[in-house]
């Protein structure tokens, strides 16, 4: 394993105790330990529409002050996006419905405010990127292979507008999810990666694109899809991040088959399609598109079975980090 591999941005929230129940002591112990694991250079934290923690945003802003001072942060808007889609079908930056698109922009405006609040709490520009999404998804009952509620054109207009927001040093990045245009069922159902790249290029506003391994596999039911998506983004000059997360074609203790449940890599989860060879292939592809990996966000996002103890959660995180580092990521 090369000694110069960049550190990982760990999506520790996906395995946090708060997903099961809210106990400040457990959450504090978990957060501090996860942030201090070897090879962790930063954390991905979720924006829930009002704050950066689903239970207590004030507590979180105080807790991060006690974490290692070298950490960088990525803020993801996926929880807020999915919540708002449940109540407003046309919500999102790529919406062809003007009211839905404006609601998407307003939500991102609040995200930028949360970025500044986190930076202020830490006394530095700690947030380096913000994950945005090309919602909405296809309308309920729409035929497979259609995504009539969203377009690259609408997304491009939104990306141009949000470039004027006060990001306080953070870069907006579209994280690609499984598209709602395949022949089978979708999980997130957002725009295809080609449309997202077209929108980014048309906006010319400095927005990047991140490829999540599991989400690309789920979209195409093909383990070679993530490398293809990385190459597309790299060839277009917009690749900003490469994120490892596992999935499975069968039900596991982590969730249903082909669901976006953030499985750990094999062999920690025997049914995970994210094997050492595939991690290495993904790492090579990302490194080839951005020589040396300079500036490339390398992320790891894994979950845990429900009811896991803090110690079990940390063991899965630690084991997953060790597995992907050994494979060269």
């Amino acid at each position: 394993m090369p000694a110069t591999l960049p550190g990982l941005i760990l999506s520790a929230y996906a395995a946090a105790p708060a997903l099961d129940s809210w106990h400040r002591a457990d959450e504090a112990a978990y957060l501090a330990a996860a942030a201090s694991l070897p090879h962790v250079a930063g954390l991905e934290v979720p924006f829930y529409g009002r704050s950066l923690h689903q239970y207590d945003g004030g507590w979180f802003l105080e807790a991060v002050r006690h974490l290692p001072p070298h950490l960088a942060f990525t803020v993801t808007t996926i929880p807020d996006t999915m919540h708002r889609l449940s109540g407003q079908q046309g919500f999102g930056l790529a919406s062809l419905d003007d009211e839905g698109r404006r609601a998407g922009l307003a939500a991102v405006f609040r995200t930028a405010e949360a970025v500044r609040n986190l930076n202020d709490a830490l006394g530095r520009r700690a947030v380096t990127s913000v994950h945005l999404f090309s919602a909405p998804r296809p309308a309920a009952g729409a035929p497979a292979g259609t995504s009539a509620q969203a377009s690259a054109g609408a997304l491009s207009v939104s990306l141009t507008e949000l470039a004027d927001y006060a990001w306080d040093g953070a870069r907006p990045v579209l994280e690609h999810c499984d598209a709602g245009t395949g022949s089978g069922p979708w999980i997130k159902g957002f725009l295809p990666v080609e449309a997202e790249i077209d929108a980014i290029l048309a906006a010319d506003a400095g927005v990047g694109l991140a490829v999540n391994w599991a989400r690309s596999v789920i979209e195409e039911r093909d383990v070679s899809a993530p490398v293809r998506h990385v190459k597309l983004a790299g060839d277009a000059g917009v690749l900003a991040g490469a994120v490892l997360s596992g999935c499975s074609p069968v039900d596991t203790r982590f969730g249903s088959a082909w669901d976006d449940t953030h499985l750990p890599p094999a062999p920690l989860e025997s049914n995970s399609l994210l094997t050492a060879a595939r991690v290495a292939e993904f790492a090579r592809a990302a490194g080839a598109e951005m020589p040396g990996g300079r500036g490339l966000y390398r992320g790891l996002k894994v979950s845990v079975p429900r009811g896991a103890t803090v110690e079990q959660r940390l063991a899965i995180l630690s084991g997953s980090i060790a597995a992907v580092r050994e494979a060269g990521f």
Side-chain angles (χ1 to χ4, degrees), residues 24-46:
R24 283 182 175 80
D26 285 351
E27 193 80 354
Y30 168 82
L31 182 64
S36 301
L37 288 171
H39 310 297
V40 172
L43 298 176
E44 183 186 39
V45 297

Side-chain angles (χ1 to χ4, degrees), residues 137-139 141-150 179-186 189-192 219:
R137 59 216 312 188
T146 65
S147 186
Q149 294 201 123
T181 55
S183 59
W186 39 262
F190 300 152
L191 287 179
E219 176 179 348

Side-chain angles (χ1 to χ4, degrees), residues 200-319:
I200 290 171
L201 293 176
D204 192 23
V207 177
L209 185 129
V211 176
N212 179 301
W213 193 92
R215 288 170 174 166
S216 292
V217 172
I218 290 167
E219 176 179 348
E220 299 191 19
R221 303 293 197 267
D222 183 353
V223 294
S224 67
V227 169
R228 287 199 301 274
H229 291 177
V230 160
K231 182 168 175 54
L232 284 170
D235 288 347
V238 300
L239 183 65
V243 183
L244 285 176
S245 185
C247 60
S248 171
V250 299
D251 293 350
T252 71
R253 60 193 174 128
F254 294 86
S256 302
W258 294 121
D259 201 355
D260 188 16
T261 50
H262 320 307
L263 265 65
L268 277 83
E269 168 49 51
S270 60
N271 291 303
S272 178
L273 293 173
L274 187 60
T275 63
R278 290 165 184 157
V279 171
E281 179 186 40
F282 192 56
R284 286 194 298 270
E289 296 304 332
M290 298 188 72
R294 291 187 296 273
L296 179 67
Y297 154 29
R298 296 187 181 217
L300 176 64
K301 188 173 192 173
V302 297
S303 64
V304 300
R306 290 190 64 85
T309 65
V310 170
E311 292 74 20
Q312 289 167 334
R313 294 169 193 274
L314 293 168
I316 289 175
L317 291 183
S318 180

Side-chain angles (χ1 to χ4, degrees), residues 80-170:
D80 187 42
T81 299
M82 301 308 294
H83 172 72
R84 293 182 185 278
L85 281 170
S86 68
Q88 184 179 2
Q89 198 173 69
F91 169 89
L93 296 176
S95 184
L96 290 169
D97 172 69
D98 190 61
E99 182 180 349
R101 195 179 69 81
R102 288 293 165 192
L105 285 166
V108 175
F109 184 87
R110 288 188 288 273
T111 307
E113 192 173 61
V115 166
R116 297 193 300 274
N117 289 340
L118 179 53
N119 284 344
D120 288 347
L122 294 169
R124 59 189 175 92
R125 286 187 163 186
V127 182
T128 57
S129 57
V130 178
H131 277 177
L132 307 175
F133 300 88
S134 60
R137 59 216 312 188
T146 65
S147 186
Q149 294 201 123
S151 77
L155 178 60
S156 176
V157 172
S158 294
L159 297 182
T160 301
E161 292 186 40
L162 63 82
D164 293 330
Y165 290 3
W167 288 108
D168 204 25

